[in-house]
Amino acid sequence: DVFNGTLVFDGSGGGQVNHMQNDFWVASTIDTPAYLILTNNTTVNVDAWFALGRGNGASDYLSTATLYDSKLRTGNFSMGYDNGRGNLARQLLTLNGTSTITNAADMNLGESFGSTSTIQLNDNSVLFSDSRIHLGWHNGGVGIMTLANSSIVNVDAWFSIGHEGGTGSLTVKDNSTLRVLSDMNVTDVGTGDGTMTIQDNATVMWGSLFVGKGVGSFGRVNQTGGRVIATESREAHIGFHGEGTYNLSGGSIVAPSHWFVVGRYGDGPGVFNITGGTFIHGTNDTGRLFRVGEEGPGILTISGTADVRTGGDALTLGNTAGGNGTVNLNGGSLQVRRIVGGPGAGEFNFN
């Protein structure tokens, strides 16, 4: 463990491999920062928990872990856990060059109240988690992640931004790639606040999408460029049990085999603003419809240079008695097979 000061693993004399059978903690002493550096083709294998900032006190110290062309393999991964004694502190994880992190189980980033955990992936670095990632977990926990350059994050489970009261922010930019096997949650269980930004030439792939999933949560996605690809035959919701907003001004969303819903439940109002870019839906499964206001309020607004196409059998408004769907066609183009109103409220405005 690193209780104080800086520990450097340097493989410049020849690649080195270090193995730890138990936990490896960096900055677990009250009011004392600590630093870890892996450089020059170094490998560190941790069978149990790797923790950065664990019960680090209330002095807002910054502790860091930095990788340069090196590998870190962990059983579980934690940043900002209070360990029962408080953790008003900051943690910074940075991957540079061809560095990799391979995590076998849970990954908790910005885990406890008072913690602010920042994760920065640069160059051609790769982060892989075989289980779920929580970014900003529990009330007062903050998680911030940025994928830059040609970095990759690969999650073989679900990825939650803002979980159980936490605040999370994820930016995917440049030529980076994010792949999430199952649910991409922009807020998850309970209250929370989550923001996802997609820009430049980035690629984002998910099995399902939930924006504003938990009761009382606020989720938003801002896409100004890049590609979003929905995989398999699943579902996407903007506004589920919380408030969800998706702003698409550039780039593309392709969801060929998904139910796509704006405003799923009464406590989950959804807003989908498309001012530019391309939205393509339902080309592989016409039975999975595009719904606006399924059991709650949903608003779809199309304007500017937006290109919106659904191959599904229908665009539905107010699909149930509690649904309230509104479409505002203020510009751009909308291509649908038919528009169907349900037993709820529906309104289509041609402006």
PDB file of all heavy atoms in Angstrom, residues 141-177:
ATOM      1  N   GLY A 141     -21.283  11.736  -4.089  1.00  0.00           N
ATOM      2  CA  GLY A 141     -20.148  11.190  -4.826  1.00  0.00           C
ATOM      3  C   GLY A 141     -20.163  11.701  -6.256  1.00  0.00           C
ATOM      4  O   GLY A 141     -21.211  11.769  -6.898  1.00  0.00           O
ATOM      5  N   VAL A 142     -18.982  12.065  -6.761  1.00  0.00           N
ATOM      6  CA  VAL A 142     -18.864  12.634  -8.105  1.00  0.00           C
ATOM      7  C   VAL A 142     -17.857  11.827  -8.909  1.00  0.00           C
ATOM      8  O   VAL A 142     -16.742  11.566  -8.445  1.00  0.00           O
ATOM      9  CB  VAL A 142     -18.429  14.114  -8.056  1.00  0.00           C
ATOM     10  CG1 VAL A 142     -18.259  14.676  -9.467  1.00  0.00           C
ATOM     11  CG2 VAL A 142     -19.428  14.946  -7.263  1.00  0.00           C
ATOM     12  N   GLY A 143     -18.255  11.442 -10.122  1.00  0.00           N
ATOM     13  CA  GLY A 143     -17.353  10.748 -11.030  1.00  0.00           C
ATOM     14  C   GLY A 143     -17.313  11.457 -12.371  1.00  0.00           C
ATOM     15  O   GLY A 143     -18.357  11.816 -12.927  1.00  0.00           O
ATOM     16  N   ILE A 144     -16.110  11.663 -12.901  1.00  0.00           N
ATOM     17  CA  ILE A 144     -15.902  12.369 -14.170  1.00  0.00           C
ATOM     18  C   ILE A 144     -14.967  11.521 -15.022  1.00  0.00           C
ATOM     19  O   ILE A 144     -13.849  11.208 -14.594  1.00  0.00           O
ATOM     20  CB  ILE A 144     -15.298  13.768 -13.953  1.00  0.00           C
ATOM     21  CG1 ILE A 144     -16.185  14.603 -13.021  1.00  0.00           C
ATOM     22  CG2 ILE A 144     -15.077  14.477 -15.281  1.00  0.00           C
ATOM     23  CD1 ILE A 144     -15.483  15.841 -12.468  1.00  0.00           C
ATOM     24  N   MET A 145     -15.398  11.147 -16.209  1.00  0.00           N
ATOM     25  CA  MET A 145     -14.553  10.342 -17.098  1.00  0.00           C
ATOM     26  C   MET A 145     -14.501  10.984 -18.481  1.00  0.00           C
ATOM     27  O   MET A 145     -15.525  11.403 -19.019  1.00  0.00           O
ATOM     28  CB  MET A 145     -15.075   8.917 -17.209  1.00  0.00           C
ATOM     29  CG  MET A 145     -14.250   8.025 -18.139  1.00  0.00           C
ATOM     30  SD  MET A 145     -14.906   6.337 -18.339  1.00  0.00           S
ATOM     31  CE  MET A 145     -14.474   5.633 -16.733  1.00  0.00           C
ATOM     32  N   THR A 146     -13.292  11.018 -19.061  1.00  0.00           N
ATOM     33  CA  THR A 146     -13.111  11.542 -20.416  1.00  0.00           C
ATOM     34  C   THR A 146     -12.313  10.546 -21.240  1.00  0.00           C
ATOM     35  O   THR A 146     -11.239  10.108 -20.828  1.00  0.00           O
ATOM     36  CB  THR A 146     -12.380  12.896 -20.396  1.00  0.00           C
ATOM     37  OG1 THR A 146     -13.128  13.829 -19.615  1.00  0.00           O
ATOM     38  CG2 THR A 146     -12.215  13.439 -21.801  1.00  0.00           C
ATOM     39  N   LEU A 147     -12.867  10.189 -22.399  1.00  0.00           N
ATOM     40  CA  LEU A 147     -12.159   9.377 -23.378  1.00  0.00           C
ATOM     41  C   LEU A 147     -11.686  10.313 -24.477  1.00  0.00           C
ATOM     42  O   LEU A 147     -12.508  10.957 -25.149  1.00  0.00           O
ATOM     43  CB  LEU A 147     -13.068   8.309 -23.985  1.00  0.00           C
ATOM     44  CG  LEU A 147     -13.398   7.063 -23.172  1.00  0.00           C
ATOM     45  CD1 LEU A 147     -14.179   7.411 -21.908  1.00  0.00           C
ATOM     46  CD2 LEU A 147     -14.202   6.084 -24.024  1.00  0.00           C
ATOM     47  N   ALA A 148     -10.370  10.410 -24.646  1.00  0.00           N
ATOM     48  CA  ALA A 148      -9.798  11.325 -25.626  1.00  0.00           C
ATOM     49  C   ALA A 148      -8.908  10.562 -26.607  1.00  0.00           C
ATOM     50  O   ALA A 148      -8.575   9.395 -26.405  1.00  0.00           O
ATOM     51  CB  ALA A 148      -8.989  12.413 -24.927  1.00  0.00           C
ATOM     52  N   ASN A 149      -8.542  11.244 -27.687  1.00  0.00           N
ATOM     53  CA  ASN A 149      -7.665  10.684 -28.719  1.00  0.00           C
ATOM     54  C   ASN A 149      -8.265   9.396 -29.283  1.00  0.00           C
ATOM     55  O   ASN A 149      -9.409   9.419 -29.725  1.00  0.00           O
ATOM     56  CB  ASN A 149      -6.259  10.490 -28.164  1.00  0.00           C
ATOM     57  CG  ASN A 149      -5.695  11.753 -27.519  1.00  0.00           C
ATOM     58  OD1 ASN A 149      -5.234  11.722 -26.384  1.00  0.00           O
ATOM     59  ND2 ASN A 149      -5.783  12.883 -28.212  1.00  0.00           N
ATOM     60  N   SER A 150      -7.552   8.295 -29.241  1.00  0.00           N
ATOM     61  CA  SER A 150      -8.070   7.024 -29.756  1.00  0.00           C
ATOM     62  C   SER A 150      -8.242   5.998 -28.645  1.00  0.00           C
ATOM     63  O   SER A 150      -8.117   4.793 -28.872  1.00  0.00           O
ATOM     64  CB  SER A 150      -7.121   6.479 -30.838  1.00  0.00           C
ATOM     65  OG  SER A 150      -7.056   7.353 -31.941  1.00  0.00           O
ATOM     66  N   SER A 151      -8.548   6.453 -27.460  1.00  0.00           N
ATOM     67  CA  SER A 151      -8.708   5.552 -26.320  1.00  0.00           C
ATOM     68  C   SER A 151      -9.997   4.752 -26.434  1.00  0.00           C
ATOM     69  O   SER A 151     -10.917   5.095 -27.194  1.00  0.00           O
ATOM     70  CB  SER A 151      -8.679   6.339 -25.008  1.00  0.00           C
ATOM     71  OG  SER A 151      -9.724   7.285 -24.977  1.00  0.00           O
ATOM     72  N   ILE A 152     -10.074   3.664 -25.646  1.00  0.00           N
ATOM     73  CA  ILE A 152     -11.204   2.741 -25.695  1.00  0.00           C
ATOM     74  C   ILE A 152     -11.620   2.376 -24.276  1.00  0.00           C
ATOM     75  O   ILE A 152     -10.772   2.080 -23.431  1.00  0.00           O
ATOM     76  CB  ILE A 152     -10.835   1.453 -26.459  1.00  0.00           C
ATOM     77  CG1 ILE A 152     -10.495   1.762 -27.922  1.00  0.00           C
ATOM     78  CG2 ILE A 152     -11.972   0.429 -26.389  1.00  0.00           C
ATOM     79  CD1 ILE A 152      -9.936   0.575 -28.681  1.00  0.00           C
ATOM     80  N   VAL A 153     -12.929   2.362 -24.025  1.00  0.00           N
ATOM     81  CA  VAL A 153     -13.498   1.775 -22.810  1.00  0.00           C
ATOM     82  C   VAL A 153     -14.466   0.682 -23.253  1.00  0.00           C
ATOM     83  O   VAL A 153     -15.362   0.925 -24.065  1.00  0.00           O
ATOM     84  CB  VAL A 153     -14.216   2.811 -21.933  1.00  0.00           C
ATOM     85  CG1 VAL A 153     -14.987   2.123 -20.808  1.00  0.00           C
ATOM     86  CG2 VAL A 153     -13.203   3.792 -21.334  1.00  0.00           C
ATOM     87  N   ASN A 154     -14.258  -0.502 -22.704  1.00  0.00           N
ATOM     88  CA  ASN A 154     -15.053  -1.674 -23.076  1.00  0.00           C
ATOM     89  C   ASN A 154     -15.631  -2.263 -21.795  1.00  0.00           C
ATOM     90  O   ASN A 154     -14.887  -2.678 -20.900  1.00  0.00           O
ATOM     91  CB  ASN A 154     -14.143  -2.688 -23.772  1.00  0.00           C
ATOM     92  CG  ASN A 154     -14.909  -3.755 -24.514  1.00  0.00           C
ATOM     93  OD1 ASN A 154     -16.104  -3.937 -24.297  1.00  0.00           O
ATOM     94  ND2 ASN A 154     -14.210  -4.479 -25.372  1.00  0.00           N
ATOM     95  N   VAL A 155     -16.968  -2.298 -21.690  1.00  0.00           N
ATOM     96  CA  VAL A 155     -17.650  -2.760 -20.479  1.00  0.00           C
ATOM     97  C   VAL A 155     -18.505  -3.968 -20.844  1.00  0.00           C
ATOM     98  O   VAL A 155     -19.466  -3.845 -21.612  1.00  0.00           O
ATOM     99  CB  VAL A 155     -18.527  -1.655 -19.865  1.00  0.00           C
ATOM    100  CG1 VAL A 155     -19.121  -2.115 -18.534  1.00  0.00           C
ATOM    101  CG2 VAL A 155     -17.720  -0.369 -19.674  1.00  0.00           C
ATOM    102  N   ASP A 156     -18.190  -5.120 -20.280  1.00  0.00           N
ATOM    103  CA  ASP A 156     -18.937  -6.338 -20.582  1.00  0.00           C
ATOM    104  C   ASP A 156     -20.126  -6.516 -19.635  1.00  0.00           C
ATOM    105  O   ASP A 156     -20.429  -7.630 -19.208  1.00  0.00           O
ATOM    106  CB  ASP A 156     -18.017  -7.561 -20.506  1.00  0.00           C
ATOM    107  CG  ASP A 156     -17.604  -8.044 -21.890  1.00  0.00           C
ATOM    108  OD1 ASP A 156     -17.989  -7.394 -22.871  1.00  0.00           O
ATOM    109  OD2 ASP A 156     -16.897  -9.059 -21.991  1.00  0.00           O
ATOM    110  N   ALA A 157     -20.768  -5.436 -19.283  1.00  0.00           N
ATOM    111  CA  ALA A 157     -21.944  -5.448 -18.406  1.00  0.00           C
ATOM    112  C   ALA A 157     -22.663  -4.126 -18.638  1.00  0.00           C
ATOM    113  O   ALA A 157     -22.855  -3.724 -19.778  1.00  0.00           O
ATOM    114  CB  ALA A 157     -21.535  -5.641 -16.953  1.00  0.00           C
ATOM    115  N   TRP A 158     -23.051  -3.414 -17.544  1.00  0.00           N
ATOM    116  CA  TRP A 158     -23.712  -2.125 -17.697  1.00  0.00           C
ATOM    117  C   TRP A 158     -22.833  -1.014 -17.162  1.00  0.00           C
ATOM    118  O   TRP A 158     -21.914  -1.231 -16.373  1.00  0.00           O
ATOM    119  CB  TRP A 158     -25.077  -2.122 -17.016  1.00  0.00           C
ATOM    120  CG  TRP A 158     -25.073  -2.213 -15.510  1.00  0.00           C
ATOM    121  CD1 TRP A 158     -25.083  -1.181 -14.624  1.00  0.00           C
ATOM    122  CD2 TRP A 158     -25.067  -3.405 -14.718  1.00  0.00           C
ATOM    123  NE1 TRP A 158     -25.095  -1.638 -13.330  1.00  0.00           N
ATOM    124  CE2 TRP A 158     -25.083  -3.005 -13.364  1.00  0.00           C
ATOM    125  CE3 TRP A 158     -25.047  -4.767 -15.009  1.00  0.00           C
ATOM    126  CZ2 TRP A 158     -25.076  -3.920 -12.312  1.00  0.00           C
ATOM    127  CZ3 TRP A 158     -25.044  -5.671 -13.968  1.00  0.00           C
ATOM    128  CH2 TRP A 158     -25.070  -5.251 -12.641  1.00  0.00           C
ATOM    129  N   PHE A 159     -23.142   0.197 -17.591  1.00  0.00           N
ATOM    130  CA  PHE A 159     -22.375   1.391 -17.220  1.00  0.00           C
ATOM    131  C   PHE A 159     -23.398   2.416 -16.748  1.00  0.00           C
ATOM    132  O   PHE A 159     -24.293   2.795 -17.494  1.00  0.00           O
ATOM    133  CB  PHE A 159     -21.621   1.899 -18.437  1.00  0.00           C
ATOM    134  CG  PHE A 159     -20.580   2.966 -18.165  1.00  0.00           C
ATOM    135  CD1 PHE A 159     -19.507   3.132 -19.025  1.00  0.00           C
ATOM    136  CD2 PHE A 159     -20.658   3.810 -17.071  1.00  0.00           C
ATOM    137  CE1 PHE A 159     -18.541   4.099 -18.805  1.00  0.00           C
ATOM    138  CE2 PHE A 159     -19.702   4.790 -16.830  1.00  0.00           C
ATOM    139  CZ  PHE A 159     -18.639   4.931 -17.713  1.00  0.00           C
ATOM    140  N   SER A 160     -23.262   2.866 -15.476  1.00  0.00           N
ATOM    141  CA  SER A 160     -24.209   3.805 -14.890  1.00  0.00           C
ATOM    142  C   SER A 160     -23.518   5.111 -14.535  1.00  0.00           C
ATOM    143  O   SER A 160     -22.508   5.112 -13.828  1.00  0.00           O
ATOM    144  CB  SER A 160     -24.861   3.197 -13.641  1.00  0.00           C
ATOM    145  OG  SER A 160     -25.592   2.033 -13.985  1.00  0.00           O
ATOM    146  N   ILE A 161     -24.085   6.216 -15.004  1.00  0.00           N
ATOM    147  CA  ILE A 161     -23.576   7.560 -14.719  1.00  0.00           C
ATOM    148  C   ILE A 161     -24.556   8.232 -13.766  1.00  0.00           C
ATOM    149  O   ILE A 161     -25.697   8.513 -14.143  1.00  0.00           O
ATOM    150  CB  ILE A 161     -23.469   8.396 -16.011  1.00  0.00           C
ATOM    151  CG1 ILE A 161     -22.676   7.660 -17.092  1.00  0.00           C
ATOM    152  CG2 ILE A 161     -22.836   9.744 -15.723  1.00  0.00           C
ATOM    153  CD1 ILE A 161     -22.736   8.352 -18.442  1.00  0.00           C
ATOM    154  N   GLY A 162     -24.136   8.467 -12.523  1.00  0.00           N
ATOM    155  CA  GLY A 162     -25.033   9.056 -11.533  1.00  0.00           C
ATOM    156  C   GLY A 162     -25.975   8.014 -10.977  1.00  0.00           C
ATOM    157  O   GLY A 162     -27.076   7.797 -11.476  1.00  0.00           O
ATOM    158  N   HIS A 163     -25.555   7.343  -9.900  1.00  0.00           N
ATOM    159  CA  HIS A 163     -26.263   6.180  -9.363  1.00  0.00           C
ATOM    160  C   HIS A 163     -26.542   6.400  -7.877  1.00  0.00           C
ATOM    161  O   HIS A 163     -25.650   6.775  -7.123  1.00  0.00           O
ATOM    162  CB  HIS A 163     -25.400   4.934  -9.579  1.00  0.00           C
ATOM    163  CG  HIS A 163     -25.997   3.652  -9.083  1.00  0.00           C
ATOM    164  ND1 HIS A 163     -27.264   3.253  -9.392  1.00  0.00           N
ATOM    165  CD2 HIS A 163     -25.476   2.665  -8.300  1.00  0.00           C
ATOM    166  CE1 HIS A 163     -27.518   2.077  -8.834  1.00  0.00           C
ATOM    167  NE2 HIS A 163     -26.449   1.704  -8.157  1.00  0.00           N
ATOM    168  N   GLU A 164     -27.799   6.192  -7.477  1.00  0.00           N
ATOM    169  CA  GLU A 164     -28.203   6.304  -6.070  1.00  0.00           C
ATOM    170  C   GLU A 164     -27.748   7.624  -5.441  1.00  0.00           C
ATOM    171  O   GLU A 164     -27.139   7.660  -4.386  1.00  0.00           O
ATOM    172  CB  GLU A 164     -27.669   5.117  -5.273  1.00  0.00           C
ATOM    173  CG  GLU A 164     -28.291   3.794  -5.699  1.00  0.00           C
ATOM    174  CD  GLU A 164     -27.843   2.609  -4.879  1.00  0.00           C
ATOM    175  OE1 GLU A 164     -26.675   2.605  -4.411  1.00  0.00           O
ATOM    176  OE2 GLU A 164     -28.645   1.681  -4.698  1.00  0.00           O
ATOM    177  N   GLY A 165     -28.057   8.717  -6.135  1.00  0.00           N
ATOM    178  CA  GLY A 165     -27.764  10.044  -5.613  1.00  0.00           C
ATOM    179  C   GLY A 165     -26.457  10.642  -6.062  1.00  0.00           C
ATOM    180  O   GLY A 165     -26.182  11.804  -5.767  1.00  0.00           O
ATOM    181  N   GLY A 166     -25.647   9.895  -6.769  1.00  0.00           N
ATOM    182  CA  GLY A 166     -24.366  10.406  -7.229  1.00  0.00           C
ATOM    183  C   GLY A 166     -24.509  11.292  -8.460  1.00  0.00           C
ATOM    184  O   GLY A 166     -25.561  11.366  -9.095  1.00  0.00           O
ATOM    185  N   THR A 167     -23.406  11.965  -8.792  1.00  0.00           N
ATOM    186  CA  THR A 167     -23.335  12.822  -9.970  1.00  0.00           C
ATOM    187  C   THR A 167     -22.226  12.316 -10.874  1.00  0.00           C
ATOM    188  O   THR A 167     -21.087  12.147 -10.431  1.00  0.00           O
ATOM    189  CB  THR A 167     -23.052  14.284  -9.588  1.00  0.00           C
ATOM    190  OG1 THR A 167     -24.119  14.760  -8.750  1.00  0.00           O
ATOM    191  CG2 THR A 167     -22.947  15.162 -10.820  1.00  0.00           C
ATOM    192  N   GLY A 168     -22.571  12.067 -12.136  1.00  0.00           N
ATOM    193  CA  GLY A 168     -21.584  11.542 -13.068  1.00  0.00           C
ATOM    194  C   GLY A 168     -21.569  12.307 -14.368  1.00  0.00           C
ATOM    195  O   GLY A 168     -22.599  12.820 -14.826  1.00  0.00           O
ATOM    196  N   SER A 169     -20.372  12.386 -14.959  1.00  0.00           N
ATOM    197  CA  SER A 169     -20.205  13.067 -16.243  1.00  0.00           C
ATOM    198  C   SER A 169     -19.254  12.247 -17.099  1.00  0.00           C
ATOM    199  O   SER A 169     -18.152  11.902 -16.666  1.00  0.00           O
ATOM    200  CB  SER A 169     -19.653  14.480 -16.030  1.00  0.00           C
ATOM    201  OG  SER A 169     -19.370  15.103 -17.268  1.00  0.00           O
ATOM    202  N   LEU A 170     -19.676  11.940 -18.319  1.00  0.00           N
ATOM    203  CA  LEU A 170     -18.871  11.133 -19.240  1.00  0.00           C
ATOM    204  C   LEU A 170     -18.773  11.862 -20.566  1.00  0.00           C
ATOM    205  O   LEU A 170     -19.793  12.233 -21.162  1.00  0.00           O
ATOM    206  CB  LEU A 170     -19.519   9.760 -19.443  1.00  0.00           C
ATOM    207  CG  LEU A 170     -18.921   8.851 -20.516  1.00  0.00           C
ATOM    208  CD1 LEU A 170     -17.496   8.455 -20.164  1.00  0.00           C
ATOM    209  CD2 LEU A 170     -19.782   7.604 -20.716  1.00  0.00           C
ATOM    210  N   THR A 171     -17.538  12.046 -21.053  1.00  0.00           N
ATOM    211  CA  THR A 171     -17.295  12.678 -22.343  1.00  0.00           C
ATOM    212  C   THR A 171     -16.540  11.704 -23.237  1.00  0.00           C
ATOM    213  O   THR A 171     -15.504  11.163 -22.840  1.00  0.00           O
ATOM    214  CB  THR A 171     -16.488  13.980 -22.189  1.00  0.00           C
ATOM    215  OG1 THR A 171     -17.223  14.898 -21.376  1.00  0.00           O
ATOM    216  CG2 THR A 171     -16.214  14.618 -23.539  1.00  0.00           C
ATOM    217  N   VAL A 172     -17.084  11.491 -24.437  1.00  0.00           N
ATOM    218  CA  VAL A 172     -16.445  10.619 -25.428  1.00  0.00           C
ATOM    219  C   VAL A 172     -16.140  11.502 -26.633  1.00  0.00           C
ATOM    220  O   VAL A 172     -17.060  11.987 -27.302  1.00  0.00           O
ATOM    221  CB  VAL A 172     -17.367   9.449 -25.813  1.00  0.00           C
ATOM    222  CG1 VAL A 172     -16.610   8.426 -26.658  1.00  0.00           C
ATOM    223  CG2 VAL A 172     -17.944   8.779 -24.577  1.00  0.00           C
ATOM    224  N   LYS A 173     -14.855  11.727 -26.911  1.00  0.00           N
ATOM    225  CA  LYS A 173     -14.502  12.719 -27.927  1.00  0.00           C
ATOM    226  C   LYS A 173     -13.363  12.218 -28.818  1.00  0.00           C
ATOM    227  O   LYS A 173     -12.881  11.093 -28.678  1.00  0.00           O
ATOM    228  CB  LYS A 173     -14.121  14.039 -27.264  1.00  0.00           C
ATOM    229  CG  LYS A 173     -12.852  13.988 -26.424  1.00  0.00           C
ATOM    230  CD  LYS A 173     -12.551  15.370 -25.831  1.00  0.00           C
ATOM    231  CE  LYS A 173     -11.220  15.398 -25.106  1.00  0.00           C
ATOM    232  NZ  LYS A 173     -10.908  16.755 -24.594  1.00  0.00           N
ATOM    233  N   ASP A 174     -12.955  13.080 -29.747  1.00  0.00           N
ATOM    234  CA  ASP A 174     -11.891  12.768 -30.715  1.00  0.00           C
ATOM    235  C   ASP A 174     -12.259  11.503 -31.486  1.00  0.00           C
ATOM    236  O   ASP A 174     -13.339  11.430 -32.052  1.00  0.00           O
ATOM    237  CB  ASP A 174     -10.547  12.656 -30.002  1.00  0.00           C
ATOM    238  CG  ASP A 174     -10.154  13.930 -29.276  1.00  0.00           C
ATOM    239  OD1 ASP A 174     -10.534  15.016 -29.756  1.00  0.00           O
ATOM    240  OD2 ASP A 174      -9.510  13.850 -28.222  1.00  0.00           O
ATOM    241  N   ASN A 175     -11.380  10.498 -31.483  1.00  0.00           N
ATOM    242  CA  ASN A 175     -11.634   9.240 -32.180  1.00  0.00           C
ATOM    243  C   ASN A 175     -11.792   8.081 -31.198  1.00  0.00           C
ATOM    244  O   ASN A 175     -11.537   6.926 -31.548  1.00  0.00           O
ATOM    245  CB  ASN A 175     -10.492   8.934 -33.149  1.00  0.00           C
ATOM    246  CG  ASN A 175     -10.394   9.958 -34.267  1.00  0.00           C
ATOM    247  OD1 ASN A 175     -11.315  10.115 -35.066  1.00  0.00           O
ATOM    248  ND2 ASN A 175      -9.276  10.677 -34.316  1.00  0.00           N
ATOM    249  N   SER A 176     -12.220   8.388 -29.997  1.00  0.00           N
ATOM    250  CA  SER A 176     -12.324   7.370 -28.958  1.00  0.00           C
ATOM    251  C   SER A 176     -13.559   6.503 -29.159  1.00  0.00           C
ATOM    252  O   SER A 176     -14.464   6.828 -29.940  1.00  0.00           O
ATOM    253  CB  SER A 176     -12.347   8.025 -27.572  1.00  0.00           C
ATOM    254  OG  SER A 176     -13.477   8.862 -27.449  1.00  0.00           O
ATOM    255  N   THR A 177     -13.593   5.382 -28.420  1.00  0.00           N
ATOM    256  CA  THR A 177     -14.683   4.416 -28.551  1.00  0.00           C
ATOM    257  C   THR A 177     -15.143   3.956 -27.171  1.00  0.00           C
ATOM    258  O   THR A 177     -14.328   3.624 -26.310  1.00  0.00           O
ATOM    259  CB  THR A 177     -14.231   3.178 -29.354  1.00  0.00           C
ATOM    260  OG1 THR A 177     -13.844   3.579 -30.670  1.00  0.00           O
ATOM    261  CG2 THR A 177     -15.358   2.154 -29.466  1.00  0.00           C
TER     262      THR A 177
END
